[in-house]
Amino acid sequence: MSTANTEIAAAPRVHYLNAQYGVKSWLLTTDHKRIALLYLGSITLMFFVGGSAAVLMRLHLIEPQGALVQPETYNKLFTMHGVVMIFFFLVPSIPAVLGNFLVPMMIGARDLAFPRINLLSWYIYIIGSLFTLYAIVSGGVDTGWTFYTPYSSTYAHTQVIATALGVFITGFSSILTGLNFVVTIHKMRAPGLTWFKMPLFLWAMYATSIIFILGTPVLAITLFLLALERLLHVGIFDPALGGDPLLFQHLFWFYSHPAVYIMILPGLGVVSELITCFSRKKIFGYTFVAFSSMAIAVLSFLVWGHHMFVTGQSIYAGLIFSVLSFLVAIPSAIKVFNWTATLYKGSISYQAPMIYALGFIGLFTMGGLTGLFLASLATDVHLNGTYFIVAHFRYIMVGGAVMAYLGGIHFWWPKITGRMYPDMWARIAALIIFFGFNLTFFPQFMLGYLGMPRRYAVYPAEFQVLNVMSSAGASILGIGYLIPLIYLIWSMRYGPVAPSNPYHAKGLEWQTPSPPPTENFEEVPVVTEEAYAYGSEEGAHA
């Protein structure tokens, strides 16, 4: 560490953060690393906007008759929370931040295939965010994040069009990002980097990009039809106008179930990187883990009907969707099994990123197992529309995607900023988040199985104890999220200078200085060893 300090004192090194100065140099940059940081700032802002709505809901639900807001406002809060968290945080979080930063570096390229399109995707994201934030401050929307028709297309008197337009616009950001990643991974890999030498994070990003490209246009068309019916009263979804409300659900869930895997697949890739690095072992069954990402991407398009078991669809269609939903659990289970096998007899170090990864495995497994109850026709009829669904979804999304996102941010933070953060604080924060999360959402499984419906502003008094536990957990969880925000910002100025590879990790991104130069590599790297060659120490850079 002291040597690195001396070097930096002797000759200030030019890297992507100090190569140019000024607002213009950031707003017009085509450097994938700077664009990743632009995304990081905007996504973090949206996370706290969506999170504040969740905090207000949990405060309201401390009392059975509601302690804080009117039912109409409560409806707007849960809609705002869902729309912002899903479309403006979870969907873009890992691909737009870590994906943008790492994909070119992991394949040994100087940038993404289309740098200007990459910058355009961030501007599109910002424009979509502004429309949604405008909808929030000008009266909100109360349809739920699913925009179910005909309520949203005909009867709602809130800002449906502005919100839908925000989501519609942001979808193009996802499509462009996915397109960029697919072309980059196909065409710009370094010499020697074959498909089966690629880091598993790249396989996860590739699978996610395919869902981006194939799934997002369906959501765009669906929201366009919704706006068309609302503005011109064309009968598409409203039965009073000759439309079919279930058509909307089919179209919406055809995108939105794959969207669940858009949110979780990149997290699965991040955890594969963390597990191998901090157990100092090759991943167990590399090929299986790689292909399970692709299997998840394909199967995700075939299971949308399990959201519609209680809509009156044919029992035979229900059976097929049920079987397919059980099938999609298999590639996820392969990953969990292979991670566990990788940990077995590994030389494990419990640094902050590893704690996030282990927390991810536990919470994601819990979310996956409870999903099997919802894939089964018999139990889904009872659990549909209850807090059981809320808890299941949060164990996958918050327990899974957010834990992986934070684990990845902590793992690559020294590479992104050139500074180390206080590892003890990071470990404490990870444990607080894990405890707070379980206290928030585990009681909701019980609430759901006892029959408490979700999205209600009031509830019977006998559910109060579990709701108070959930609200207390949300407070702890909120503190857990604020702590990393504080010490990561602190570390950017005061953190110790990071060496080029503080974790002795494998992978091309660790072969450059921290932070990397603008062009990533001074000369094109040549890959000679397989991914995660932790057994042999040749080529290891301390």
Side-chain angles (χ1 to χ4, degrees):
M1 200 75 76
S2 59
T3 323
N5 270 321
T6 321
E7 283 170 15
I8 285 183
R13 189 174 60 80
V14 176
H15 50 75
Y16 83 99
L17 290 170
N18 66 10
Q20 290 176 294
Y21 288 102
V23 174
K24 189 177 173 184
S25 75
W26 281 87
L27 294 181
L28 298 179
T29 184
T30 52
D31 184 346
H32 66 100
K33 300 180 289 300
R34 284 193 165 203
I35 293 168
L37 292 187
L38 292 173
Y39 265 118
L40 177 62
S42 40
I43 282 169
T44 304
L45 175 68
M46 295 306 276
F47 175 78
F48 283 101
V49 169
S52 59
V55 169
L56 291 172
M57 279 192 289
R58 287 302 345 153
L59 289 172
H60 175 80
L61 291 170
I62 287 172
E63 291 181 11
Q65 291 308 306
L68 202 60
V69 295
Q70 294 300 313
E72 297 80 21
T73 310
Y74 183 82
N75 291 349
K76 290 175 182 176
L77 282 174
F78 74 67
T79 304
M80 179 180 97
H81 169 68
V83 168
V84 170
M85 280 303 212
I86 287 168
F87 298 114
F88 296 94
F89 174 71
L90 285 166
V91 166
S93 58
I94 296 177
V97 179
L98 296 175
N100 255 325
F101 193 91
L102 294 167
V103 166
M105 296 180 67
M106 283 185 164
I107 65 168
R110 297 198 162 190
D111 209 317
L112 286 167
F114 308 113
R116 287 191 179 90
I117 287 179
N118 195 21
L119 179 63
L120 176 65
S121 74
W122 177 71
Y123 275 107
I124 291 172
Y125 173 84
I126 292 296
I127 293 166
S129 305
L130 290 173
F131 269 101
T132 304
L133 291 171
Y134 162 76
I136 290 166
V137 299
S138 63
V141 63
D142 65 351
T143 59
W145 75 274
T146 50
F147 300 108
Y148 272 3
T149 55
Y151 180 63
S152 60
S153 65
T154 308
Y155 302 105
H157 298 299
T158 51
Q159 297 285 1
V160 178
I161 292 287
T163 313
L165 193 58
V167 176
F168 176 84
I169 291 168
T170 306
F172 289 95
S173 168
S174 300
I175 293 168
L176 293 177
T177 301
L179 185 72
N180 226 336
F181 287 170
V182 166
V183 175
T184 304
I185 291 169
H186 267 281
K187 293 291 185 185
M188 298 176 71
R189 299 194 308 278
L193 186 61
T194 61
W195 281 92
F196 293 103
K197 285 182 183 173
M198 289 199 317
L200 290 164
F201 179 75
L202 290 178
W203 279 97
M205 291 314 310
Y206 186 79
T208 307
S209 300
I210 288 170
I211 305 176
F212 271 148
I213 295 166
L214 298 180
T216 314
V218 179
L219 177 71
I221 292 162
T222 310
L223 293 174
F224 176 73
L225 293 174
L226 167 69
L228 203 66
E229 178 163 292
R230 191 169 171 87
L231 292 171
L232 304 178
H233 306 291
V234 181
I236 302 166
F237 305 122
D238 185 354
L241 300 170
D244 180 3
L246 288 187
L247 174 61
F248 178 86
Q249 289 194 35
H250 278 291
L251 289 169
F252 182 83
W253 288 116
F254 183 79
Y255 162 77
S256 292
H257 197 84
V260 171
Y261 296 103
I262 287 174
M263 299 177 228
I264 199 66
L265 260 173
L268 300 172
V270 168
V271 171
S272 295
E273 301 294 319
L274 301 184
I275 293 292
T276 52
C277 176
F278 292 102
S279 58
R280 317 308 299 167
K281 276 181 69 182
K282 289 181 190 177
I283 193 86
F284 179 86
Y286 170 95
T287 314
F288 280 90
V289 180
F291 279 123
S292 66
S293 291
M294 303 306 294
I296 288 171
V298 172
L299 289 169
S300 69
F301 283 102
L302 306 176
V303 295
W304 79 90
H306 72 218
H307 293 272
M308 301 174 63
F309 283 156
V310 296
T311 59
Q313 72 178 356
S314 137
I315 192 75
Y316 300 108
L319 282 169
I320 290 165
F321 281 123
S322 179
V323 169
L324 287 167
S325 301
F326 278 105
L327 199 60
V328 83
I330 294 171
S332 304
I334 286 171
K335 288 184 184 292
V336 173
F337 172 80
N338 285 28
W339 292 331
T340 312
T342 305
L343 290 169
Y344 179 65
K345 290 191 176 176
S347 175
I348 297 170
S349 58
Y350 295 100
Q351 287 167 271
M354 185 59 157
I355 294 176
Y356 279 111
L358 295 174
F360 173 99
I361 293 175
L363 299 177
F364 175 70
T365 304
M366 183 80 174
L369 290 173
T370 50
L372 299 178
F373 290 95
L374 302 172
S376 166
L377 279 161
T379 44
D380 184 78
V381 171
H382 171 63
L383 296 170
N384 197 288
T386 69
Y387 263 82
F388 193 93
I389 301 242
V390 176
H392 157 71
F393 189 59
R394 296 317 181 281
Y395 266 83
I396 296 285
M397 288 303 105
V398 186
V402 178
M403 291 290 273
Y405 175 67
L406 288 171
I409 289 286
H410 283 77
F411 184 52
W412 284 290
W413 189 257
K415 183 58 63 182
I416 293 169
T417 63
R419 300 279 181 170
M420 301 299 290
Y421 52 82
D423 192 65
M424 182 53 71
W425 273 109
R427 286 190 245 189
I428 291 168
L431 294 171
I432 290 172
I433 289 170
F434 184 81
F435 175 73
F437 174 84
N438 280 295
L439 185 58
T440 306
F441 295 109
F442 193 81
Q444 295 182 11
F445 280 127
M446 291 182 270
L447 284 168
Y449 127 84
L450 291 169
M452 179 174 166
R454 62 180 176 169
R455 298 183 172 182
Y456 278 39
V458 295
Y459 57 87
E462 61 262 31
F463 294 146
Q464 185 173 11
V465 172
L466 290 168
N467 269 294
V468 169
M469 284 171 67
S470 193
S471 295
S475 310
I476 296 167
L477 191 58
I479 293 166
Y481 288 142
L482 283 171
I483 296 172
L485 184 72
I486 293 164
Y487 66 67
L488 288 177
I489 291 172
W490 174 89
S491 75
M492 283 156 64
R493 184 168 185 125
Y494 302 107
V497 173
S500 60
N501 190 355
Y503 306 114
H504 310 301
K506 298 288 183 178
L508 292 178
E509 77 270 26
W510 299 107
Q511 310 297 327
T512 65
S514 302
T518 305
E519 66 280 2
N520 295 342
F521 301 95
E522 285 167 16
E523 54 189 56
V524 177
V526 177
V527 179
T528 55
E529 60 181 17
E530 59 185 329
Y532 316 118
Y534 281 106
S536 61
E537 278 316 301
E538 75 246 14
H541 285 246

